[in-house]
């Protein structure tokens, strides 16, 4: 993934402060004291723990602050010379880029800007550790943004077609501390008296403040989450009961993620229950380059219930258990030990918990009170979403979701919605996987997939014939041959029946690799915390450690001396590849979908049909990961020399680049 795409499409860069549902590694337990005051010496008021400042969601990229610490220590003369050389090389690339940009050489300019930023970010120095690096970095970013205000149309289309992770709602709500009037509090106190809950409820100014917030500015957040809860309530409530925790802790998930399996907090917590990577593994949730169990609603609910039960057994109080779920048991233990109080509200008043943890429990209580009293808070009209019924097929072979969609007559997005733990458009290469498909389609899937050789289930497709299509035109669309289609389907060369379904034997690699990781274009800045390693940060954000090292010019696993890391959130490829393939098929295949259209009979007539619709037989191709000049030229029946000539003699291809291709007459 090249960094220039990220900088050319963003308007600023953010430093993200570590917070949210960061479940740190458990520390050695301390003796938990009962609520109330302990001997004066232990209960003496100490210096409060500084609270953390709320930062924007990872999907927002504000301008970096200009008053960041410069790093303190003075560089040696040798290091200073090295920094000067880095700045000089970056500046040279930037000036070359400006010259190419104003000379009409757009692709070369982008490569130069990319190289300039890589000089700075790829060096052994943190760009914020030295004033010269920081100023050069900000100057180049600002200059590039001035040249490409708001990005390009190509970038906008790419962003829209990608399925992005959702920002976790908790990042928004626990960054504020709203106040409430006496009337709101009095009404809420009356509601509590008539509310049946297996979670202890109490009214404070803080809880009333969040009730006021969710009744006004935050109403949309509450209503969307409440609507989505309909998808998972029937599954979650029995699990919470089985694990011996209050069923009303389901509202913790509502506050955390809004019941969105793809929710990601700014510190890398994922899924409906917002697990960090290290904590997830401790409760049996694995994640790899293909699957992240934190995004599996059922598995993560079971893990969250067990984790909450363990925290309750440790602290003996559900409020402290919730606080520990947010900030980690070590943080709460330290606060209890420091003050001598094992009571959440005492710790709140003594200001010994992080700000976001102080807000966390009141948020959950406010959501619980309002959700359990819908008529009192005008929530009766919220349309609850329904659980999507599905069949489960246990498979021990890899299969592309596009082929699965062909088999059962579904869309790829529907399958991704049923299988949110899948990070790619295919199932894992090894091991068993529980694949969810639309309800009632199990027999249809097993019958259809049986016609595809197991080793080809990542490549082959099914195609539903449209009126007027021929074997030749279909073969051309899928970059295969008519003979192969005829052999795979035992055809005798006659006309194709409309609505018939054909097996399409696509050669491996012809429709693009689905192994290539896909990352958001926008850059995310992560502030390194004590104890972080390359592997732990990579795990939390769902990227590979190798990729994280490449983005930041790192070696090994240590982050000693690094204050900030640059990374890109992973996204599901989703419809991007499908959209590109579809657009290519539409350009290269004449419109013969109507019953009266005269079908082409040869490959040459196909090309003539395209040419007749336009005076200039030109198409545009978006370069995908893994493609080469040769593979693209071969796909369009042209030559490498012609391809380079028509694109200003470019020497290097980059994913996302748009090529102009002149079709042969």
């Amino acid at each position: 993934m090249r960094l220039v795409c990220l900088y050319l499409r963003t308007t600023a860069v953010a430093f993200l402060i570590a917070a949210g549902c960061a479940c740190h590694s458990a520390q050695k337990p301390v003796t938990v004291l009962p609520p109330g005051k302990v001997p004066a010496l232990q209960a003496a008021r100490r210096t409060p723990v500084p609270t953390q400042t709320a930062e924007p969601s990872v999907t927002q990229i504000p301008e970096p602050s200009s008053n960041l610490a410069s790093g303190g220590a003075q560089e040696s003369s040798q290091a200073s010379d090295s920094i000067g050389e880095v700045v000089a090389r970056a500046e040279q690339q930037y000036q070359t880029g400006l010259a190419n940009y104003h000379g009409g050489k757009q692709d070369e300019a982008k490569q130069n800007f990319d190289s300039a930023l890589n000089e700075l970010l790829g060096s052994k120095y943190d760009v914020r550790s030295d004033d010269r690096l920081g100023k050069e970095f900000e100057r180049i970013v600002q200059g590039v943004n001035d040249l490409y205000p708001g990005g390009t149309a190509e970038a906008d289309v790419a962003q829209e077609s990608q399925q992005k992770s959702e920002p976790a709602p908790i990042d928004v709500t626990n960054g504020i501390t709203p106040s409430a009037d006496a009337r709101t509090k009095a009404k809420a106190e009356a509601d509590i008296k008539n509310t049946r809950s297996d979670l202890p409820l109490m009214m404070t100014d803080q809880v009333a403040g969040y009730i006021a917030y969710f009744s006004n500015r935050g109403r949309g957040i509450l209503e969307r989450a409440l609507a989505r809860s309909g998808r998972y309530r029937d599954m979650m409530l029995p699990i919470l009961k089985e694990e011996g925790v209050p069923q009303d802790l389901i509202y913790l998930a509502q506050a955390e993620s809004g019941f969105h399996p793809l929710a990601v907090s700014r510190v890398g917590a994922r899924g409906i229950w917002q697990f960090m990577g290290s904590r997830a593994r401790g409760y049996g949730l694995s994640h790899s380059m293909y699957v992240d169990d934190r995004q599996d609603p059922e598995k993560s609910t079971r893990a969250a219930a067990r984790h909450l039960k363990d925290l309750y057994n440790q602290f003996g109080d559900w409020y402290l258990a919730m606080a520990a779920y947010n900030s980690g048991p070590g943080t709460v233990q330290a606060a209890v030990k420091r003050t001598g109080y094992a009571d959440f509200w005492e710790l709140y008043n003594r200001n010994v918990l992080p700000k976001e943890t102080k807000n966390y429990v009141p948020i959950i209580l406010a959501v619980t009170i309002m959700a359990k009293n819908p008529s009192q808070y005008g929530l009766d009209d919220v349309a609850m979403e329904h659980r999507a019924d599905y069949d489960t097929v246990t498979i021990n072979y890899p299969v592309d979701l596009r082929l699965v969609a062909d088999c059962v007559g579904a869309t790829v997005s529907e399958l991704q919605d049923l299988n949110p733990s899948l990070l790619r458009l295919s199932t894992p290469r090894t091991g068993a996987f529980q694949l969810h498909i639309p309800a009632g389609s199990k027999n249809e899937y097993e019958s259809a997939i049986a016609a595809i050789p197991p080793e080809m289930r990542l490549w082959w497709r099914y195609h539903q014939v449209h009126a007027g299509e021929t074997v030749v035109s279909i073969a051309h669309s899928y970059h295969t041959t008519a003979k192969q289609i005829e052999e795979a389907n035992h055809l005798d060369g006659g006309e194709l029946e409309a609505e018939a379904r054909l097996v399409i034997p696509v050669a491996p690699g012809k429709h693009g690799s689905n192994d290539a990781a896909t990352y958001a274009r926008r850059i995310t800045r992560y502030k390194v915390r004590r104890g972080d390693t390359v592997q732990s940060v990579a795990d939390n954000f769902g990227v590979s450690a190798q990729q994280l090292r490449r983005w930041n010019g790192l070696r090994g696993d240590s982050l000693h001396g690094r204050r900030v890391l640059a990374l890109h959130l992973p996204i599901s490829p989703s419809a991007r590849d499908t959209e590109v393939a579809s657009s290519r098929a539409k350009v290269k295949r004449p419109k013969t979908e109507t019953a009266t259209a005269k079908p082409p009979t040869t490959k040459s007539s196909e090309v003539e049909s395209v040419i007749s619709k336009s005076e200039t037989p030109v198409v545009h191709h978006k370069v995908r990961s893994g493609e080469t000049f040769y593979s693209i030229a071969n796909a369009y029946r042209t030559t490498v020399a012609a391809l380079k000539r028509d694109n200003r003699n470019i020497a290097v291809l980059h994913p996302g680049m748009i090529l102009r291709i002149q079709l042969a007459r």
Side-chain angles (χ1 to χ4, degrees), residues 167-180:
I170 196 66
D171 280 347
V172 176
T173 54
N174 69 7
I176 60 175
T177 306
S179 58

Side-chain angles (χ1 to χ4, degrees), residues 71-367:
Q74 200 69 4
E75 300 284 354
S76 66
S77 58
Q78 182 179 0
S80 297
D81 292 338
S82 298
I83 289 175
E85 293 171 2
V86 170
V87 171
R89 289 194 297 270
E91 181 64 20
Q92 182 179 10
Q93 287 290 341
Y94 176 58
Q95 293 299 330
T96 303
L98 290 176
N100 282 329
Y101 176 86
H102 294 297
K105 301 177 180 179
Q106 297 294 322
D107 291 332
E108 290 88 338
K110 291 180 180 180
Q111 292 178 35
N112 295 138
F113 296 144
D114 184 12
S115 299
L117 293 168
N118 281 335
E119 285 288 352
L120 298 173
L121 292 174
S123 73
K124 62 182 179 180
Y125 305 105
D126 189 320
V127 295
R128 304 300 177 186
S129 65
D130 185 275
D131 192 48
R132 289 167 295 172
L133 290 171
K135 288 182 178 179
E136 181 72 5
F137 175 81
E138 292 179 4
R139 195 173 75 83
I140 293 176
V141 170
Q142 184 60 51
V144 172
N145 288 333
D146 289 342
L147 295 177
Y148 302 92
T152 65
E154 170 205 342
D156 293 339
V157 171
Q159 288 281 29
E160 291 173 2
S161 65
Q162 294 169 344
Q163 180 187 12
K164 304 177 181 65
S165 299
E166 290 287 322
I170 196 66
D171 280 347
V172 176
T173 54
N174 69 7
I176 60 175
T177 306
S179 58
D181 54 67
R183 182 178 178 182
T184 300
K185 184 176 181 181
K187 180 181 182 299
E189 286 176 336
D191 292 334
I192 285 180
K193 294 178 181 179
N194 299 315
T195 301
R196 297 183 59 183
S197 175
D198 54 4
L199 185 68
L201 301 178
M202 67 179 298
M203 181 54 54
T204 66
D205 290 341
Q206 295 79 21
V207 176
Y210 275 107
I211 289 177
Y213 169 75
F214 287 124
S215 297
N216 296 285
R217 280 195 302 142
R219 189 170 187 83
I221 295 175
L222 179 70
E223 289 184 346
R224 286 191 296 272
L226 191 60
R228 285 188 66 87
S229 70
R231 297 189 181 197
Y232 305 108
R233 288 184 65 85
D234 292 343
M235 175 271 290
M236 290 181 169
L237 292 176
I239 291 177
L240 295 174
K241 185 176 181 179
E242 290 169 14
E243 297 298 333
V245 300
Q247 289 180 297
D248 281 346
L249 280 175
I250 191 173
Y251 298 112
L252 181 149
Q254 179 168 325
E256 282 272 16
S257 67
F259 291 104
H260 205 300
L262 303 182
V264 179
S265 79
R266 61 172 171 269
V267 294
R270 280 184 174 268
I272 288 177
W273 294 92
Q274 290 290 280
F275 270 101
M276 295 290 280
S278 57
R279 183 67 64 187
R281 282 193 297 272
Y283 285 90
L285 300 179
S286 61
H287 48 281
S288 66
M289 66 183 296
Y290 291 98
V291 177
D292 193 329
D293 286 341
R294 292 177 292 176
Q295 296 180 182
D296 184 293
E298 187 169 349
K299 290 181 179 179
S300 64
T301 297
R302 183 77 65 180
R306 292 174 177 174
H307 183 33
L308 285 163
K309 183 65 176 292
D310 288 343
L311 293 172
Y312 177 76
N313 290 337
Q314 181 174 346
F315 292 101
D317 179 90
W318 284 116
Y319 289 0
L320 291 178
M322 287 188 285
Y325 189 91
N326 173 254
S327 62
T331 300
V332 177
Q333 286 175 340
V336 171
K337 184 176 181 180
R338 179 179 181 181
T339 64
Y341 285 94
D343 177 76
F344 173 78
W345 298 110
E346 278 291 343
L347 300 181
Y348 186 106
N349 293 330
R350 290 171 177 270
N351 202 29
V352 292
L353 292 172
K355 177 183 177 182
E356 294 181 358
T357 304
K358 289 172 62 178
N359 291 342
Y360 187 76
V361 174
I363 290 170
I364 296 170
L365 295 180
V367 168

Side-chain angles (χ1 to χ4, degrees), residues 214-522:
F214 287 124
S215 297
N216 296 285
R217 280 195 302 142
R219 189 170 187 83
I221 295 175
L222 179 70
E223 289 184 346
R224 286 191 296 272
L226 191 60
R228 285 188 66 87
S229 70
R231 297 189 181 197
Y232 305 108
R233 288 184 65 85
D234 292 343
M235 175 271 290
M236 290 181 169
L237 292 176
I239 291 177
L240 295 174
K241 185 176 181 179
E242 290 169 14
E243 297 298 333
V245 300
Q247 289 180 297
D248 281 346
L249 280 175
I250 191 173
Y251 298 112
L252 181 149
Q254 179 168 325
E256 282 272 16
S257 67
F259 291 104
H260 205 300
L262 303 182
V264 179
S265 79
R266 61 172 171 269
V267 294
R270 280 184 174 268
I272 288 177
W273 294 92
Q274 290 290 280
F275 270 101
M276 295 290 280
S278 57
R279 183 67 64 187
R281 282 193 297 272
Y283 285 90
L285 300 179
S286 61
H287 48 281
S288 66
M289 66 183 296
Y290 291 98
V291 177
D292 193 329
D293 286 341
R294 292 177 292 176
Q295 296 180 182
D296 184 293
E298 187 169 349
K299 290 181 179 179
S300 64
T301 297
R302 183 77 65 180
R306 292 174 177 174
H307 183 33
L308 285 163
K309 183 65 176 292
D310 288 343
L311 293 172
Y312 177 76
N313 290 337
Q314 181 174 346
F315 292 101
D317 179 90
W318 284 116
Y319 289 0
L320 291 178
M322 287 188 285
Y325 189 91
N326 173 254
S327 62
T331 300
V332 177
Q333 286 175 340
V336 171
K337 184 176 181 180
R338 179 179 181 181
T339 64
Y341 285 94
D343 177 76
F344 173 78
W345 298 110
E346 278 291 343
L347 300 181
Y348 186 106
N349 293 330
R350 290 171 177 270
N351 202 29
V352 292
L353 292 172
K355 177 183 177 182
E356 294 181 358
T357 304
K358 289 172 62 178
N359 291 342
Y360 187 76
V361 174
I363 290 170
I364 296 170
L365 295 180
V367 168
T368 303
I369 293 167
M370 297 180 74
K372 293 182 76 68
N373 294 278
S375 59
Q376 286 90 323
Y377 294 97
L379 300 173
D380 284 335
D381 295 334
V382 174
M384 303 292 281
E385 297 180 16
H386 299 292
R387 178 180 180 179
D389 293 329
Y390 55 82
D391 292 343
T392 301
V393 181
T394 302
I395 62 175
N396 56 7
Y397 52 81
V399 61
D400 194 291
L401 289 188
R402 288 166 288 193
L403 176 59
V404 178
D406 293 340
C407 290
V408 299
T411 65
V412 172
S413 61
E414 288 171 341
L415 292 173
Q416 288 179 312
D417 195 45
L418 291 175
N419 299 274
S421 65
L422 281 179
L423 301 178
R424 282 167 166 66
L425 281 178
S426 67
T427 59
R429 294 295 189 268
T430 59
F433 181 76
Q434 302 290 318
L435 178 66
H436 297 159
I437 56 180
S441 64
K442 183 174 182 178
N443 291 338
E444 182 182 5
Y445 171 75
E446 291 180 338
S447 175
I449 202 67
I452 309 294
E455 69 275 11
M456 291 298 173
R457 291 172 184 174
L458 285 174
W459 310 106
W460 287 22
R461 296 284 180 268
Y462 273 104
H463 176 82
Q464 188 169 14
V465 178
H466 296 284
E469 284 188 313
T470 67
V471 175
V472 172
S473 67
I474 295 171
H476 191 61
S477 299
Y478 288 94
H479 306 300
T480 186
T481 66
K483 182 179 180 180
Q484 288 176 313
I485 294 178
E486 290 172 345
E487 290 177 350
N489 294 275
H490 308 290
L491 300 177
D492 57 6
E495 292 187 2
L496 299 177
E497 294 184 8
E499 307 303 318
R501 190 162 65 172
L502 299 179
V503 173
I504 308 297
V506 182
K510 283 296 184 181
H511 59 62
S513 173
N514 49 29
D515 279 337
T518 307
Y519 300 96
R521 290 179 179 274
R522 293 193 174 192

